[in-house]
Amino acid sequence: MAHLPFVLACSLSLLASSVASGAIVEHSFSVNNLTVSRLCRNQSIIVVNGCYPGPTIHARNGDTLIVHVLNQSPYNITIHWHGIFQLLSAWADGAAYVTQCPISPRQNFTYKFNITRQEGTLWWHAHVSWLRATVHGALIIHPKAGPSFHFLKPTEEVPILLGEWYNGNVVDIEEEGLATGIAPNSSNAYTINGLLGDLYDCSQNQTYQLNVVRGDTYLLRLINVALNNQLFFKIANHNMTVVAINATYTTPYVTDVVVTGPGQTTDVLVNFNQPIRSYYMAATPYASANIDFDNTTTRGIIVYKNSKSSTPIMPALPNLHDTSLAHKFYTNLTCLIDGPHWVPVPLQVDKHMFVTIGVNLEMCPKNATCQGPLFSRLSASMNNESFVLPSNTSMMEAHFNNVSGVYTRDFPDEPPVKFDYTDTNVSFDLSLIYAPKSTKVKTLKFNSTVEINHPIHLHGFNFHVLAQGFGNYNPINDPKKFNFVNPQIRNTIGVPVGGWAVIRFQANNPGIWYMHCHLDIHLSWGLGLAFEVENGPTPESTLPPPPLDLPKC
């Protein structure tokens, strides 16, 4: 086994040497402040190892990843390994107050977990407050030594992180929104690998550049690390072939535009076969709802070797509200049958859940002034329950130690009141708009198969996306559209306003798992729930005890 020393670097590209049982890949994260210049101003942000974006971690399927986290920031922190199954290592999932209490300032914690039956593009990020706006990085899982990817090996692999930039401290922005009861300020710009691009003020020298060789094929690992926005991504005069999403292989799909939501990853092969010159890659928002959003565009430059052109070609970008284009992209993706780690759809369902998602109101606290509708605070809910994280212990510790009073096991399988969920005329119906605050979970038997209508990001599992559509879900006609042959497999899905999606997964991983909105504006308001997956019948299907250094609240 290889043991990598303590490193403080923006590019953790080293791979531990592989052995038959996998290698140990070990890194250290120091969470600290960094002052950067963006949009004509200096700003202090929270980062890892002095880098924005944070380090890229490389590992192989079958490896054990160990990351020592030292919190030198003024805020509580956890790190979530987005998309990692955490099979029997749920304590390392990094969801604050769900699987662990946060790491306090000047404290440390070591994450240790195996990477099992996974390969492709994932990522890591902070899971406290809005800190993931700057505390994030790519997590690339390579195949085991020997076999290669399930497509022609590219000349080069390049992570492309698409993010948001905020003028101001993101923690303060979130807290101000929660205090006033209205939506927090939207972002001020978008980024490609932390750089804004030359369309923004004071950003001419802050444009990401990728140098390529004509005729070569590159694998671009697109990761949407934004807090609140779906994005269109295009490269001028070039097609892209989607070969994987959320670290699962897809049937190759050729497209000139990629749509990606927060938390989603999309691997695309690009053959740079155009005339030798320079071309812009660009990301611009896709807005499915009529709310305020940052309608700017970030761009980077792709420069062919020996290019003499000084002005790159700009791609024609979609309309920001082009839902039909976004829906076409999302629904044309299918999984690669019999590809590495492919799992067929479980056909028998043990638990059916119909989950509605809504923006609600919360009564204004006594002696406070709220600026939301009806002088209330904005809130959000699933099945009219607005989720509240505990604060004095983690849900996993309460589950493992059988501690009562931390959460209840009565999350409803369906909405308590049935109505036309897509009718905007009922938006301010006082009998529907206020959702109670609660910490309710749904308990699942080990190995049970669960089908849910209208999910978002699910920790601990991948799921099959059986179908997506618009309007109210029709339980008679819409199941006829289910794809049981080659549905896409994801860990994060975007559900459009006035639409629905149906997923199915097998609860074969004991522990407490968070399912929540990956738009942080809604997560802050309570859009989430937790699944309590019971132990299985054998030691190999039983949640182990917590690590000795697990942080305390």
Side-chain angles (χ1 to χ4, degrees), residues 135 146 273 286 294 297 301 347 462 481 488 496 529 540 542 546:
V135 180
N273 55 6
Y286 160 53
D294 175 5
T297 297
I301 303 175
L347 298 180
N462 280 345
K481 307 171 187 174
Q488 59 185 272
L529 71 94
E540 294 75 20
T542 299

Side-chain angles (χ1 to χ4, degrees), residues 41 94 126 133 153 183 197 204 224 245 247 267 277 286 321-323 377 393 399 439 444 454 507 510 531:
R41 54 182 279 171
K153 183 175 176 61
Q204 293 300 311
N224 187 329
I245 53 174
D267 290 358
R277 58 169 305 152
Y286 160 53
H321 301 285
D322 196 340
T323 292
R377 286 179 173 175
T393 188
H399 162 78
T439 307
L444 303 175
H454 216 147
F531 289 109

Side-chain angles (χ1 to χ4, degrees), residues 474-496:
N474 186 311
I476 303 299
N477 295 322
D478 287 330
K480 299 173 185 177
K481 307 171 187 174
F482 286 4
N483 179 357
F484 292 111
V485 178
N486 62 345
Q488 59 185 272
I489 301 173
R490 285 192 176 274
N491 59 51
T492 308
I493 186 173
V495 183

Side-chain angles (χ1 to χ4, degrees), residues 156-336:
E156 191 172 335
E157 304 169 29
V158 183
I160 302 290
L161 280 65
L162 306 174
E164 292 170 326
W165 177 261
Y166 289 81
N167 278 341
N169 183 309
V170 291
V171 174
D172 293 342
I173 291 172
E174 180 195 23
E175 290 180 350
E176 181 182 1
L178 293 174
T180 59
I182 58 177
N185 293 341
S186 58
S187 60
N188 298 95
Y190 297 105
T191 61
I192 296 178
N193 287 345
L195 299 174
L196 278 63
D198 55 12
L199 287 175
Y200 296 101
D201 292 340
C202 306
S203 302
Q204 293 300 311
N205 297 321
Q206 294 187 352
T207 302
Y208 174 73
Q209 180 172 309
L210 174 62
N211 298 316
V212 302
V213 176
R214 189 177 189 275
D216 285 351
T217 297
Y218 287 63
L219 176 65
L220 303 185
R221 299 178 179 273
L222 306 178
I223 308 173
N224 187 329
V225 300
L227 290 182
N228 294 310
N229 283 284
Q230 298 185 78
L231 297 166
F232 289 116
F233 177 84
K234 294 192 72 173
I235 303 174
N237 293 10
H238 290 77
N239 283 332
M240 298 170 278
T241 302
V242 179
V243 292
I245 53 174
N246 288 143
T248 62
Y249 290 102
T250 62
T251 306
Y253 174 63
V254 179
T255 178
D256 69 341
V257 60
V258 166
V259 191
T260 176
Q264 293 182 334
T265 70
T266 308
D267 290 358
V268 297
L269 291 173
V270 183
N271 181 239
F272 290 106
N273 55 6
Q274 296 301 300
I276 294 177
R277 58 169 305 152
S278 57
Y279 302 83
Y280 278 117
M281 65 174 86
T284 198
Y286 160 53
S288 59
N290 293 318
I291 58 174
D292 291 335
F293 66 98
D294 175 5
N295 65 352
T296 62
T297 297
T298 181
R299 61 188 186 184
I301 303 175
I302 293 172
V303 180
Y304 277 59
K305 185 178 180 180
N306 299 322
S307 170
K308 307 298 184 190
S309 65
S310 58
T311 305
I313 298 175
M314 181 68 180
L317 296 174
N319 182 289
L320 304 184
H321 301 285
D322 196 340
T323 292
S324 62
L325 177 62
H327 186 66
K328 176 185 176 183
F329 175 82
Y330 283 136
T331 56
N332 275 341
L333 299 175
T334 56
C335 72
L336 185 66

Side-chain angles (χ1 to χ4, degrees), residues 69-102:
V69 178
L70 172 62
N71 184 9
Q72 295 181 303
S73 81
Y75 304 107
N76 288 342
I77 198 79
T78 64
I79 302 295
H80 170 52
W81 314 95
H82 189 112
I84 292 290
F85 295 151
Q86 300 291 0
L87 295 170
L88 297 182
S89 57
W91 300 102
D93 190 53
Y97 300 108
V98 178
T99 59
Q100 69 168 100
C101 292

